[in-house]
Amino acid sequence: MFGALFGGASRRDRRDAVLFQGFGWDSCQKGGWYTKLKQQLPELKAAGVTHLWLPPPSHSVSPQGYMPGQLYNLEASKYGGKKELKELTSAAKKQGIACVADVVINHRCADIQENGVYNHYSDDTDHKGRRIDWGRWAITCDDPHFNGSGNRDTGADYAAAPDLDHANPELRAALRDWLHWLQHDIGFEGWRLDFVKGYAPKFVDEYVSSTVGAAALNVGEFWVDMEWQGGELAADQDRARQVLCDWVNANNKSCSAFDFPLKGVLQEAAKRTQYWRLRDARGKAPGLVGWWPEHAVTFVDNHDTGSSQQHWPFPSHLVGVGYAYILTHPGIPCVFYEHFFDWGEELRGTIKGLLEVRRRAGIKAGARLDIRAAEADFYFAVVDGRVAVKLGPRLDMGPHLPRAEDGWQQVAAGTEFCVWEKKK
């Protein structure tokens, strides 16, 4: 019954998905966020969005939601209450858009101290009326700050909050039950998993497989380190993308990954006029998308890299270059809320136009990419024989210029990018 109610949108072919991040870092401060997003759904549907990534829904010590405490308490969220959230997921489903929840389960903030350390939980009640009264046993024993007594951590430490012991069957059962509730009662159809390097990928597979399934659009935030040579990004980033390939393989391909290596290479190429970076030594695209595009979620910026945090932002005057690349190339593209709604009509129009090109040309995650030039000031590629993309400041394209007599028509252009579409 639940699959019939909530499974529709997620059953579409994930390979033609367009993900939209429906919030920025400060969206929690603006009030009524779920209601605002609900009002914007028709425009997102018209633009071609298929999946809507929503912020962490639960009570949190931090207003953004990334320090969760009471998992079942949706009323304390700064984005809106349970009623507004269910109205949003229901309205999105009617528009054919699947809602993806930001799931923060690597860590959980406790509410009771022991010897001056917060490591006891007795503040939450699940959907069956049972108390979630975890103690030190739920926290990894090697957490350096919170005096846990559970098993050793299966991933990296998260210093700001107690690391949960995913090796404990009781704890995993409780998390699976919570995810089932988010899926079947609240209406989520996919997961964006926060800080997945914090616990073993086999648990990612368990959580996904027991709920929405691998056919849904699930994506993990594995912020992998890149290789640098002094202040210069190294040309070879194979280690970084191999880490992501290994992680996707280890989670049994149930969860894709954000393509952080591609973001790093793409923004360095644009910022430093080094478009040669966009073709690797084997003639493929950089990043995870060059090796495994069906599991690469590509993006220009998100709430961490851009927004008000600015941890690793794309050059602002060349954001159009970023979208010209990810919306015409292989991979599963993710559009950022602030770029679409807050950066002005010109950029919004550019993104809409590029999404329309992607739709008309039928570009999917595994599209065929033919990179014909990748030089310092000039990049040119043809995707599926239908879409041609030029990046870089060079104006003279020489023999690469798509010609009208060959059926090519210019459909988008901006600072350092131009896109053509071949008529059928």
Side-chain angles (χ1 to χ4, degrees), residues 10 50 61 71 78 113 121 204 212 264 283 285 301 332 348 361 389:
S10 61
T50 64
V61 173
L71 297 180
K78 297 298 183 181
Q113 289 188 14
Y121 306 83
V204 171
V212 296
D301 265 323
I332 301 169
R348 189 189 315 195
V389 185

Side-chain angles (χ1 to χ4, degrees), residues 24-291:
W25 186 250
D26 297 323
S27 299
C28 58
Q29 309 287 3
K30 299 182 180 179
W33 193 254
Y34 293 148
T35 301
K36 181 176 183 177
L37 278 178
K38 179 183 173 184
Q39 295 167 349
Q40 293 169 329
L41 286 172
E43 185 169 4
L44 296 179
K45 172 64 176 178
V49 170
T50 64
H51 292 74
L52 177 60
W53 164 17
L54 298 181
S58 301
H59 159 269
S60 170
V61 173
S62 64
Q64 291 80 15
Y66 290 98
M67 297 284 282
Q70 305 165 21
L71 297 180
Y72 283 90
N73 182 357
L74 306 189
E75 300 303 330
S77 169
K78 297 298 183 181
Y79 301 98
K82 179 180 177 181
K83 177 177 179 290
E84 291 78 20
L85 178 55
K86 292 185 70 170
E87 288 175 350
L88 172 57
T89 60
S90 176
K93 184 174 176 60
K94 290 177 182 177
Q95 294 280 356
I97 298 174
C99 287
V100 176
D102 201 321
V103 175
V104 187
I105 53 175
N106 170 74
H107 50 274
R108 181 185 171 208
C109 295
D111 66 314
I112 297 176
Q113 289 188 14
E114 179 182 279
N115 298 324
V117 177
Y118 283 99
N119 54 18
H120 281 267
Y121 306 83
S122 62
D123 59 339
D124 206 358
T125 303
D126 72 11
H127 61 109
K128 297 177 182 177
R130 299 171 300 194
R131 298 294 293 178
I132 303 177
D133 57 350
W134 299 349
R136 291 174 54 225
W137 62 266
I139 302 170
T140 56
C141 64
D142 51 352
D143 186 303
H145 305 290
F146 294 96
N147 299 334
S149 62
N151 295 288
R152 294 185 65 83
D153 204 337
T154 59
D157 176 62
Y158 185 81
D163 282 22
L164 295 181
D165 176 15
H166 292 265
N168 185 296
E170 181 181 345
L171 184 142
R172 292 203 310 279
L175 291 177
R176 290 196 307 270
D177 203 28
W178 177 64
L179 291 171
H180 271 283
W181 178 75
L182 288 179
Q183 178 188 4
H184 298 311
D185 194 59
I186 307 303
F188 284 108
E189 302 184 58
W191 311 129
R192 181 269 184 187
L193 295 169
D194 181 70
F195 197 73
V196 292
K197 65 169 64 178
Y199 50 100
K202 65 180 179 180
F203 301 132
V204 171
D205 182 30
E206 178 178 337
Y207 298 137
V208 168
S209 299
S210 63
T211 54
V212 296
L217 177 54
N218 305 293
V219 56
E221 183 213 24
F222 197 119
W223 195 328
V224 62
D225 293 331
M226 301 186 71
E227 301 292 330
W228 294 83
Q229 296 173 341
E232 185 85 3
L233 185 69
D236 185 349
Q237 296 295 328
D238 285 358
R239 186 205 62 80
R241 53 183 176 174
Q242 187 63 58
V243 168
L244 294 185
C245 283
D246 291 345
W247 182 79
V248 173
N249 264 321
N251 72 49
N252 199 27
K253 298 182 284 294
S254 65
C255 189
S256 300
F258 284 110
D259 198 344
F260 282 94
L262 174 68
K263 172 183 167 55
V265 172
L266 182 57
Q267 68 186 35
E268 284 294 299
K271 179 169 61 176
R272 300 181 183 275
T273 316
Q274 296 174 342
Y275 287 97
W276 54 264
R277 292 182 178 276
L278 300 184
R279 179 168 58 188
D280 71 9
R282 301 173 186 84
K284 296 181 178 294
L288 178 61
V289 75
W291 285 1

